[in-house]
Amino acid sequence: MRATLRQAARATLHLVVAAAMAFGSYIFITVLLITAILTVTVVGAFMLPETVLLIRRIAGAKRQMAGAWTGRKIPEAYQPLTGTVRERVRTAVLDPSTLTDVRWMIAYYAYGALPVLMLPLWPLGLVVDGVWCGLLRRQALVLPLISRLADLDAHWSTVLLKPSPKAQLAVRVEELVQTRAGAIAAHGAELRRIERDLHDGTQARLVSLSMRIGLAKRAYDRDPAAARRMLDEAQTLAEEALTDLRHVVRAIHPPILTDRGLVGAVRALAASSALAVTVTVDGLTDGHDGPRAPAAVEAAAYFVIAESLTNAAKYSGADRAEVRLARTRTGLRVQVRDEGRGGAEEAGGSGLLGMRRRVAALDGDVTVTSPIGGPTVIEVELPCVW
């Protein structure tokens, strides 16, 4: 009986909040009518986007409420209302989610009265279920109906507020446009960095190398010792140019990924880090024995780990870090954790923005948790087919 009372009390709270929201929706009819009249007369067309934003907030609150009751989050698929007044009005009218929200609000004027049915159930349930459960030791009959009403309210809200496939497609297209722009920007920045490294480093050393060899050829007959010294300098310059080229190649695609696979490359990265790094692997193997993710996914994971460990060594103040690699059913999961001071921000020049762009180009997701005082945890999900 106590469990039944607790569940009925929880359902009652849900229905009371639903009743308050329904009452607010009834009052909101006046705003809808004023907006409709002014929009038709074109005089108050600017009110339409603001009214749609209000409807979105009300519908969003109902989504959260229904999701809290059912335990299943209801997604949103809204197009942003930005730009000029004309663009905002056009987006508000053409957004498929606007029709979804308005349809729900109209239906809510009807099923929003469900909480009223709860009122006679409490006194009836306390009497009937008190005798039925307390004396006869049977299961409650009346009070569970309150939970049924809450279930019905949440179910109808979920069905009506779930975004249409067209709305989800529109949001997905917008996300792809943004990630494509980020990928292009990241690619352009990477090309400029490679060009700068080649121009300022390798090219300058090769020019100096060519000059040293030319001077050594001229001095070879009259001053062999000076020519030998110049050739030694030319050899040093050639070795430095090769080192610069290796750095450039590693920045494009680390050869160690091809030779040893992601696990081996990460272990080597951990061994060379300034921190004491622990590497944990789940579902992956060293070398070429087991399944491997596509090369682009491995490269993105490697650069995320390298950037994260570099940031941790520079800014966190920690002396230890942990790297986790896990194969999932739909892709690859990477987690880098340090027990440093925390407070990492994308605007702080820590490389998080470039990391996010690189992952977004592969349709992945980055989650950064870094409260003041630590720890800092960077989690990356990279989708792929194994």
Side-chain angles (χ1 to χ4, degrees), residues 182-244:
I184 291 174
H187 180 66
E190 189 73 7
L191 287 179
R192 289 191 295 272
R193 184 192 63 77
I194 293 173
E195 181 182 9
R196 184 175 61 252
D197 290 346
L198 290 175
H199 182 272
D200 297 341
T202 307
Q203 179 175 303
R205 297 186 192 281
L206 290 176
V207 170
S208 181
L209 171 64
S210 177
M211 292 176 61
R212 288 288 192 282
I213 294 176
L215 292 173
K217 288 173 63 177
R218 293 190 185 94
Y220 182 77
D221 293 331
R222 64 176 184 275
D223 192 352
R228 184 176 290 106
R229 186 173 61 256
M230 293 177 186
L231 288 174
D232 291 339
E233 294 174 354
Q235 183 178 6
T236 301
L237 288 171
E239 292 173 353
E240 292 175 351
L242 285 173
T243 301
D244 289 343

Coordinates of all heavy atoms in Angstrom, one line a residue, residues 182-244:
G182 N 33.1 23.9 -40.7 CA 34.2 23.7 -39.7 C 35.3 22.8 -40.3 O 36.5 23.1 -40.1
A183 N 34.9 21.8 -41.0 CA 36.0 20.9 -41.6 C 36.8 21.7 -42.7 O 38.0 21.5 -42.7 CB 35.3 19.7 -42.2
I184 N 36.1 22.5 -43.5 CA 36.8 23.3 -44.5 C 37.8 24.3 -43.8 O 38.9 24.5 -44.2 CB 35.8 24.0 -45.4 CG1 35.1 23.0 -46.3 CG2 36.5 25.0 -46.3 CD1 34.0 23.6 -47.1
A185 N 37.3 24.9 -42.7 CA 38.1 25.9 -42.0 C 39.3 25.2 -41.4 O 40.5 25.7 -41.5 CB 37.3 26.6 -40.9
A186 N 39.1 24.0 -40.8 CA 40.2 23.2 -40.2 C 41.2 22.8 -41.3 O 42.4 22.8 -41.0 CB 39.6 22.0 -39.4
H187 N 40.6 22.3 -42.4 CA 41.5 21.9 -43.5 C 42.3 23.1 -44.0 O 43.6 22.9 -44.3 CB 40.6 21.3 -44.6 CG 41.4 20.8 -45.8 ND1 42.3 19.8 -45.7 CD2 41.5 21.3 -47.1 CE1 42.9 19.6 -46.9 NE2 42.4 20.5 -47.7
G188 N 41.7 24.2 -44.2 CA 42.5 25.4 -44.6 C 43.5 25.8 -43.6 O 44.7 26.1 -44.0
A189 N 43.2 25.8 -42.3 CA 44.2 26.1 -41.3 C 45.4 25.1 -41.3 O 46.6 25.5 -41.2 CB 43.6 26.2 -39.9
E190 N 45.0 23.8 -41.5 CA 46.1 22.8 -41.6 C 47.0 23.0 -42.8 O 48.2 22.8 -42.7 CB 45.4 21.4 -41.6 CG 46.4 20.2 -41.5 CD 46.9 20.1 -40.1 OE1 46.4 20.8 -39.2 OE2 47.8 19.3 -39.9
L191 N 46.4 23.3 -43.9 CA 47.2 23.6 -45.1 C 48.1 24.8 -44.9 O 49.3 24.7 -45.4 CB 46.3 23.8 -46.4 CG 45.6 22.6 -46.9 CD1 44.7 23.0 -48.1 CD2 46.6 21.5 -47.4
R192 N 47.6 25.8 -44.3 CA 48.4 27.0 -44.1 C 49.6 26.7 -43.1 O 50.7 27.2 -43.3 CB 47.6 28.1 -43.5 CG 46.6 28.8 -44.6 CD 46.0 30.0 -44.1 NE 45.1 29.8 -42.9 CZ 43.9 29.5 -43.0 NH1 43.3 29.4 -44.2 NH2 43.1 29.3 -41.9
R193 N 49.3 25.9 -42.1 CA 50.3 25.5 -41.2 C 51.4 24.6 -41.9 O 52.6 24.9 -41.6 CB 49.7 24.7 -40.0 CG 50.7 24.3 -38.9 CD 50.2 23.3 -38.0 NE 49.9 22.0 -38.7 CZ 50.8 21.1 -39.0 NH1 52.1 21.4 -38.8 NH2 50.5 20.0 -39.6
I194 N 51.0 23.7 -42.7 CA 52.0 22.9 -43.4 C 52.8 23.8 -44.4 O 54.1 23.6 -44.4 CB 51.3 21.8 -44.2 CG1 50.6 20.8 -43.2 CG2 52.2 21.1 -45.1 CD1 49.7 19.7 -43.9
E195 N 52.1 24.7 -45.1 CA 52.9 25.6 -46.0 C 53.9 26.4 -45.2 O 55.0 26.7 -45.6 CB 51.9 26.5 -46.7 CG 52.5 27.4 -47.7 CD 51.5 28.3 -48.3 OE1 50.3 28.3 -47.9 OE2 51.9 29.1 -49.3
R196 N 53.4 26.9 -44.0 CA 54.3 27.8 -43.2 C 55.5 27.0 -42.7 O 56.7 27.4 -42.7 CB 53.6 28.3 -42.0 CG 54.4 29.3 -41.2 CD 53.5 29.9 -40.1 NE 52.9 28.9 -39.2 CZ 51.7 28.6 -39.2 NH1 50.8 29.1 -40.0 NH2 51.2 27.7 -38.3
D197 N 55.3 25.7 -42.3 CA 56.4 24.9 -41.8 C 57.4 24.6 -42.9 O 58.6 24.6 -42.7 CB 55.8 23.6 -41.2 CG 55.1 23.8 -39.9 OD1 55.2 24.9 -39.3 OD2 54.3 22.9 -39.5
L198 N 56.8 24.3 -44.1 CA 57.7 24.0 -45.2 C 58.5 25.2 -45.6 O 59.7 25.1 -45.9 CB 56.9 23.4 -46.4 CG 56.3 22.0 -46.2 CD1 55.4 21.7 -47.4 CD2 57.4 21.0 -46.1
H199 N 57.8 26.4 -45.6 CA 58.5 27.6 -46.1 C 59.5 28.1 -45.1 O 60.7 28.4 -45.5 CB 57.4 28.7 -46.4 CG 58.0 30.0 -46.9 ND1 58.5 30.9 -46.1 CD2 58.2 30.4 -48.2 CE1 58.9 32.0 -46.8 NE2 58.8 31.6 -48.1
D200 N 59.1 28.1 -43.9 CA 60.0 28.7 -42.9 C 61.1 27.7 -42.4 O 62.2 28.2 -41.9 CB 59.2 29.2 -41.6 CG 58.3 30.3 -42.0 OD1 58.4 30.9 -43.1 OD2 57.3 30.6 -41.2
G201 N 60.8 26.5 -42.4 CA 61.8 25.5 -41.9 C 62.5 24.8 -43.0 O 63.7 25.0 -43.3
T202 N 61.8 23.8 -43.7 CA 62.5 22.9 -44.6 C 63.1 23.7 -45.8 O 64.2 23.5 -46.2 CB 61.5 21.9 -45.1 OG1 60.9 21.2 -44.0 CG2 62.2 20.9 -46.0
Q203 N 62.3 24.6 -46.4 CA 62.7 25.3 -47.6 C 63.9 26.2 -47.2 O 64.9 26.2 -48.0 CB 61.6 26.2 -48.1 CG 62.0 27.0 -49.3 CD 60.9 27.8 -49.9 OE1 59.8 27.2 -50.3 NE2 61.0 29.1 -50.0
A204 N 63.9 26.9 -46.1 CA 65.1 27.7 -45.7 C 66.3 26.9 -45.5 O 67.4 27.3 -45.9 CB 64.7 28.5 -44.4
R205 N 66.2 25.7 -44.9 CA 67.3 24.8 -44.7 C 67.9 24.3 -46.1 O 69.1 24.2 -46.2 CB 67.0 23.7 -43.8 CG 66.6 24.1 -42.4 CD 66.4 22.9 -41.5 NE 65.8 23.3 -40.2 CZ 66.4 23.9 -39.2 NH1 67.7 24.1 -39.3 NH2 65.8 24.2 -38.1
L206 N 67.0 23.9 -47.0 CA 67.4 23.4 -48.3 C 68.1 24.5 -49.1 O 69.1 24.2 -49.8 CB 66.2 22.9 -49.1 CG 65.6 21.6 -48.5 CD1 64.4 21.2 -49.3 CD2 66.6 20.5 -48.5
V207 N 67.6 25.8 -49.0 CA 68.3 26.9 -49.7 C 69.7 27.1 -49.1 O 70.7 27.2 -49.9 CB 67.5 28.2 -49.5 CG1 68.3 29.4 -50.0 CG2 66.2 28.1 -50.4
S208 N 69.8 27.0 -47.8 CA 71.1 27.2 -47.1 C 72.0 26.0 -47.5 O 73.2 26.2 -47.7 CB 70.9 27.2 -45.6 OG 72.2 27.4 -45.0
L209 N 71.4 24.8 -47.6 CA 72.2 23.6 -48.0 C 72.8 23.8 -49.4 O 74.0 23.5 -49.7 CB 71.3 22.4 -47.9 CG 71.8 21.1 -48.5 CD1 73.1 20.6 -47.7 CD2 70.8 20.0 -48.5
S210 N 72.0 24.3 -50.3 CA 72.4 24.5 -51.7 C 73.5 25.5 -51.7 O 74.5 25.3 -52.5 CB 71.2 24.9 -52.5 OG 71.7 25.2 -53.9
M211 N 73.5 26.5 -51.0 CA 74.5 27.6 -50.9 C 75.8 27.0 -50.4 O 76.9 27.2 -50.9 CB 74.1 28.8 -50.1 CG 72.9 29.5 -50.7 SD 72.4 30.9 -49.6 CE 73.8 31.9 -49.5
R212 N 75.7 26.2 -49.3 CA 76.9 25.6 -48.7 C 77.6 24.6 -49.7 O 78.8 24.6 -49.8 CB 76.5 24.8 -47.5 CG 76.1 25.6 -46.3 CD 77.3 26.3 -45.6 NE 77.0 26.9 -44.3 CZ 76.3 28.0 -44.2 NH1 75.9 28.7 -45.2 NH2 76.1 28.4 -42.9
I213 N 76.8 23.8 -50.4 CA 77.4 22.9 -51.4 C 78.1 23.7 -52.5 O 79.2 23.4 -53.0 CB 76.4 22.0 -52.0 CG1 75.9 21.0 -50.9 CG2 76.9 21.2 -53.2 CD1 74.7 20.1 -51.3
G214 N 77.4 24.8 -53.0 CA 78.0 25.6 -54.0 C 79.3 26.3 -53.6 O 80.3 26.3 -54.3
L215 N 79.4 26.8 -52.3 CA 80.6 27.4 -51.8 C 81.7 26.3 -51.6 O 82.9 26.6 -51.9 CB 80.3 28.1 -50.4 CG 79.5 29.3 -50.5 CD1 79.1 29.8 -49.1 CD2 80.2 30.4 -51.3
A216 N 81.3 25.1 -51.2 CA 82.3 24.0 -51.0 C 82.9 23.6 -52.4 O 84.1 23.3 -52.5 CB 81.6 22.8 -50.4
K217 N 82.1 23.6 -53.5 CA 82.6 23.3 -54.8 C 83.6 24.3 -55.2 O 84.7 24.0 -55.8 CB 81.5 23.2 -55.8 CG 80.6 22.0 -55.6 CD 79.4 22.1 -56.5 CE 79.8 22.1 -58.0 NZ 78.6 22.1 -58.9
R218 N 83.3 25.6 -55.0 CA 84.3 26.7 -55.4 C 85.6 26.6 -54.6 O 86.7 26.9 -55.1 CB 83.6 28.0 -55.2 CG 82.5 28.3 -56.2 CD 82.0 29.7 -56.1 NE 80.8 30.0 -56.9 CZ 79.6 30.0 -56.4 NH1 79.4 29.7 -55.1 NH2 78.6 30.2 -57.2
A219 N 85.5 26.2 -53.3 CA 86.6 26.2 -52.4 C 87.4 24.9 -52.4 O 88.4 24.8 -51.8 CB 86.2 26.6 -51.0
Y220 N 86.9 23.9 -53.1 CA 87.5 22.6 -53.0 C 88.9 22.5 -53.5 O 89.8 21.9 -52.9 CB 86.6 21.6 -53.8 CG 87.1 20.2 -53.8 CD1 86.9 19.4 -52.6 CD2 87.9 19.6 -54.8 CE1 87.3 18.1 -52.5 CE2 88.3 18.3 -54.7 CZ 88.0 17.6 -53.6 OH 88.5 16.3 -53.5
D221 N 89.3 23.2 -54.6 CA 90.6 23.2 -55.2 C 91.6 24.0 -54.4 O 92.7 23.6 -54.1 CB 90.6 23.6 -56.6 CG 89.9 22.6 -57.5 OD1 89.9 21.4 -57.2 OD2 89.3 23.1 -58.5
R222 N 91.2 25.2 -54.0 CA 92.2 26.1 -53.3 C 92.2 26.0 -51.8 O 93.2 26.3 -51.2 CB 91.9 27.6 -53.6 CG 90.5 28.1 -53.1 CD 90.4 29.6 -53.5 NE 89.1 30.1 -52.9 CZ 87.9 30.1 -53.5 NH1 87.9 29.5 -54.7 NH2 86.9 30.6 -52.9
D223 N 91.1 25.5 -51.2 CA 91.1 25.3 -49.7 C 90.3 24.1 -49.3 O 89.1 24.2 -48.9 CB 90.5 26.6 -49.1 CG 90.7 26.6 -47.6 OD1 91.2 25.6 -47.0 OD2 90.4 27.7 -46.9
P224 N 90.9 22.9 -49.4 CA 90.1 21.7 -49.2 C 89.6 21.6 -47.7 O 88.5 21.1 -47.5 CB 91.2 20.6 -49.4 CG 92.2 21.2 -50.3 CD 92.3 22.6 -49.9
A225 N 90.3 22.2 -46.8 CA 89.9 22.1 -45.4 C 88.6 22.9 -45.2 O 87.6 22.5 -44.6 CB 90.9 22.7 -44.4
A226 N 88.5 24.1 -45.8 CA 87.3 25.0 -45.8 C 86.1 24.3 -46.5 O 85.0 24.3 -46.0 CB 87.6 26.3 -46.4
A227 N 86.5 23.6 -47.6 CA 85.4 22.9 -48.4 C 84.9 21.8 -47.5 O 83.6 21.5 -47.5 CB 86.0 22.4 -49.7
R228 N 85.8 21.0 -46.8 CA 85.3 19.9 -46.0 C 84.4 20.4 -44.8 O 83.4 19.8 -44.5 CB 86.5 19.2 -45.4 CG 86.1 17.9 -44.6 CD 87.3 17.1 -44.1 NE 87.9 16.5 -45.3 CZ 89.1 16.9 -45.8 NH1 89.7 18.0 -45.3 NH2 89.6 16.3 -46.8
R229 N 84.8 21.6 -44.3 CA 84.0 22.2 -43.2 C 82.6 22.6 -43.7 O 81.6 22.4 -43.1 CB 84.7 23.4 -42.6 CG 84.0 24.0 -41.4 CD 84.9 25.1 -40.8 NE 85.1 26.2 -41.7 CZ 86.3 26.5 -42.3 NH1 87.3 25.7 -42.1 NH2 86.4 27.5 -43.1
M230 N 82.6 23.2 -44.9 CA 81.3 23.5 -45.5 C 80.4 22.3 -45.8 O 79.2 22.3 -45.7 CB 81.5 24.3 -46.8 CG 82.1 25.7 -46.6 SD 82.5 26.6 -48.1 CE 83.3 28.0 -47.5
L231 N 81.1 21.2 -46.2 CA 80.3 20.0 -46.5 C 79.8 19.4 -45.2 O 78.6 18.9 -45.2 CB 81.2 19.0 -47.2 CG 81.6 19.3 -48.7 CD1 82.6 18.3 -49.2 CD2 80.3 19.3 -49.5
D232 N 80.5 19.5 -44.1 CA 80.0 19.1 -42.8 C 78.8 19.9 -42.4 O 77.8 19.3 -41.9 CB 81.1 19.2 -41.7 CG 82.2 18.2 -41.9 OD1 82.0 17.2 -42.6 OD2 83.3 18.4 -41.4
E233 N 78.8 21.2 -42.6 CA 77.7 22.1 -42.3 C 76.5 21.7 -43.2 O 75.3 21.7 -42.8 CB 78.1 23.5 -42.5 CG 79.1 24.0 -41.5 CD 79.5 25.5 -41.8 OE1 79.1 26.0 -42.9 OE2 80.3 26.0 -41.0
A234 N 76.8 21.4 -44.5 CA 75.7 21.0 -45.4 C 75.1 19.7 -45.0 O 73.9 19.5 -45.1 CB 76.3 20.9 -46.9
Q235 N 75.9 18.8 -44.5 CA 75.3 17.5 -44.0 C 74.4 17.8 -42.8 O 73.3 17.2 -42.7 CB 76.4 16.5 -43.6 CG 75.9 15.2 -43.2 CD 77.1 14.2 -42.8 OE1 78.2 14.6 -42.8 NE2 76.7 13.0 -42.5
T236 N 74.8 18.6 -41.9 CA 74.0 19.0 -40.7 C 72.7 19.6 -41.2 O 71.6 19.3 -40.7 CB 74.8 20.0 -39.8 OG1 76.0 19.3 -39.4 CG2 73.9 20.3 -38.6
L237 N 72.8 20.5 -42.2 CA 71.5 21.1 -42.7 C 70.6 20.1 -43.3 O 69.4 20.2 -43.2 CB 71.9 22.2 -43.7 CG 72.5 23.5 -43.1 CD1 73.0 24.4 -44.2 CD2 71.5 24.2 -42.2
A238 N 71.2 19.1 -44.1 CA 70.4 18.1 -44.7 C 69.7 17.3 -43.6 O 68.5 16.9 -43.8 CB 71.3 17.2 -45.6
E239 N 70.4 16.9 -42.5 CA 69.7 16.2 -41.5 C 68.6 17.0 -40.8 O 67.6 16.4 -40.5 CB 70.8 15.8 -40.4 CG 71.8 14.8 -41.0 CD 72.9 14.5 -40.0 OE1 73.0 15.2 -39.0 OE2 73.8 13.6 -40.3
E240 N 68.8 18.3 -40.6 CA 67.8 19.1 -40.0 C 66.6 19.2 -40.9 O 65.4 19.2 -40.5 CB 68.4 20.5 -39.7 CG 69.4 20.5 -38.5 CD 70.0 21.8 -38.3 OE1 69.8 22.7 -39.2 OE2 70.7 22.0 -37.3
A241 N 66.9 19.3 -42.3 CA 65.7 19.4 -43.2 C 64.9 18.1 -43.2 O 63.7 18.1 -43.3 CB 66.3 19.7 -44.6
L242 N 65.6 16.9 -43.1 CA 64.9 15.7 -43.0 C 64.1 15.6 -41.7 O 62.9 15.1 -41.8 CB 65.9 14.5 -43.0 CG 66.6 14.2 -44.4 CD1 67.7 13.2 -44.2 CD2 65.5 13.7 -45.4
T243 N 64.6 16.1 -40.6 CA 63.8 16.1 -39.4 C 62.6 17.0 -39.5 O 61.5 16.6 -39.1 CB 64.7 16.7 -38.2 OG1 65.9 15.8 -38.1 CG2 63.9 16.7 -36.9
D244 N 62.7 18.1 -40.2 CA 61.6 19.0 -40.4 C 60.5 18.3 -41.3 O 59.3 18.4 -41.0 CB 62.0 20.3 -41.1 CG 62.8 21.2 -40.1 OD1 62.7 21.0 -38.9 OD2 63.5 22.1 -40.6

